Amino acid sequence: MGMSFGSYTEVCNTVALVVCPLLGTSMGLEPICYSRNVEINSTVIFQPATCVIHIAALVMTAVMVYHIRSKYTAVGRKEIVLFFYLYAVSEILAIFLDSAIIPTYSGAYSWFSAIYVGLNTAIFWCLLVNGFVGFQFAEDGTPMSLWSLRISSLVVFLVTAFVAIATFKGIAGMSPKSQMGLFIVQFLFPIICVAVYVLSQIVLVLRTLDDRWPLGDIIFGVGFYVAGLVLMFAFSADICNGVKHYIDGTFFGVLCMLLSVMMVYKYWDSITKEDLEFSVGSKINVWEVKDPLLGSDADMVASSTSHSGGKGSFSAY
């Protein structure tokens, strides 16, 4: 596939993206090969296999968020969990858009597509900012750290969503045929964010950690991300024709993105440790009994021995 910078024509001829029906002519842009649809209760569902991966992504995200929130004293816990929340919301939207539960001819489709594009860009921005949390430019978990991340992610989301809807509706000099702005925010900006995040984490591991194993998580994460892009934008049509339209490159793109997100969690988990002294988890051994009416087992044994020997007294209140 030959991709022209700033143009979705070749991209949408290869893979069925959410934005493709809203670009080009009034009929939109369609891929030359896409996965077959299924009919459930008189409702046609597009990309059924890809929707299964979206649902699996939601389940895995819930598991990862649970484990992140259970690490009460880990560095950057509150910051990284926003990344996973944004990813979960984008996956929910993707289920409705990829499957065409929200029809492409509906007026709401363009607005939800713009929100989806904005969320995806905000996800990568949130990842980039999280890459600098470990350097402690601002203490993690503080209002300054949290609100700078939230507000900047919101700004990126709003700007990207505006560029998307302006492209779909032909506003502010953009149009379905003039796609440069949308191309930059949807493709170029995320790649830059990933590159900056990876470089910052390599520096963090080499300068501050004795263990080099987290570099493996970074390598696998980048590998899955690159593989997803290649399978989607280079081999989608070949995959689709090879498996007789059962799946296409979108399936592998979504799957590889899920694996990349899982490696982000694995990397964060490997470089953060809990301070058990201040942990409030379900570890009963960290609690110390302070009630003077309750003594240790040794004290109870000594008291019983003394009483049985007639040299002590036992008072009941």
Side-chain angles (χ1 to χ4, degrees):
M1 180 204 72
M3 179 185 291
S4 300
F5 184 82
S7 173
Y8 278 80
T9 302
E10 292 83 2
V11 174
C12 292
N13 284 340
T14 303
V15 61
L17 298 179
V18 168
V19 300
C20 290
L22 302 169
L23 301 175
T25 64
S26 59
M27 300 298 294
L29 300 174
E30 295 184 358
I32 57 177
C33 183
Y34 50 86
S35 64
R36 64 182 66 190
N37 313 320
V38 296
E39 184 175 346
I40 301 176
N41 293 330
S42 301
T43 301
V44 177
I45 303 297
F46 291 75
Q47 299 281 358
T50 303
C51 289
V52 172
I53 302 299
H54 286 312
I55 295 172
L58 288 174
V59 175
M60 293 306 302
T61 303
V63 173
M64 290 184 286
V65 168
Y66 172 78
H67 285 287
I68 291 171
R69 292 178 62 87
S70 67
K71 296 184 70 171
Y72 296 96
T73 59
V75 175
R77 177 178 69 95
K78 295 181 179 179
E79 285 81 1
I80 195 65
V81 79
L82 178 62
F83 168 78
F84 291 97
Y85 285 151
L86 292 175
Y87 176 70
V89 175
S90 72
E91 288 299 294
I92 294 173
L93 271 179
I95 293 174
F96 290 94
L97 295 172
D98 280 340
S99 65
I101 293 177
I102 301 176
T104 56
Y105 59 80
S106 170
Y109 184 87
S110 59
W111 290 97
F112 279 104
S113 296
I115 293 172
Y116 176 74
V117 174
L119 277 173
N120 275 293
T121 308
I123 288 170
F124 286 98
W125 172 257
C126 185
L127 180 67
L128 183 151
V129 176
N130 268 279
F132 293 95
V133 171
F135 293 96
Q136 294 290 292
F137 294 117
E139 186 176 354
D140 65 288
T142 60
M144 179 179 179
S145 176
L146 292 173
W147 283 106
S148 60
L149 173 62
R150 293 166 181 169
I151 293 175
S152 62
S153 297
L154 177 62
V155 170
V156 170
F157 164 75
L158 292 176
V159 170
T160 305
F162 173 77
V163 171
I165 197 63
T167 303
F168 302 151
K169 300 292 187 181
I171 303 172
M174 291 173 275
S175 70
K177 294 183 179 181
S178 179
Q179 308 149 0
M180 177 63 72
L182 182 62
F183 189 94
I184 291 174
V185 297
Q186 188 173 13
F187 293 130
L188 184 60
F189 182 77
I191 292 175
I192 294 174
C193 290
V194 170
V196 174
Y197 174 79
V198 169
L199 291 176
S200 67
Q201 297 316 287
I202 292 175
V203 172
L204 181 67
V205 171
L206 295 178
R207 290 187 58 184
T208 63
L209 300 181
D210 296 329
D211 188 7
R212 297 294 183 260
W213 284 107
L215 292 176
D217 300 327
I218 297 175
I219 293 172
F220 275 107
V222 173
F224 287 131
Y225 178 71
V226 173
L229 295 179
V230 172
L231 291 172
M232 278 188 70
F233 300 115
F235 297 106
S236 180
D238 296 331
I239 294 170
C240 181
N241 290 317
V243 297
K244 302 184 185 302
H245 294 247
Y246 282 103
I247 58 175
D248 57 15
T250 307
F251 173 87
F252 290 102
V254 175
L255 176 61
C256 288
M257 182 60 67
L258 170 60
L259 295 174
S260 298
V261 171
M262 292 173 66
M263 295 312 300
V264 170
Y265 163 75
K266 180 66 172 61
Y267 166 74
W268 176 85
D269 185 63
S270 67
I271 65 172
T272 56
K273 295 181 180 179
E274 274 199 291
D275 187 346
L276 298 181
E277 181 181 357
F278 299 100
S279 176
V280 292
S282 57
K283 301 178 179 65
I284 60 175
N285 291 333
V286 302
W287 298 102
E288 180 181 355
V289 177
K290 296 296 185 181
D291 193 336
L293 297 180
L294 298 177
S296 64
D297 291 341
D299 292 338
M300 293 176 67
V301 171
S303 176
S304 176
T305 303
S306 175
H307 180 69
S308 63
K311 295 183 180 180
S313 60
F314 178 80
S315 300
Y317 294 92

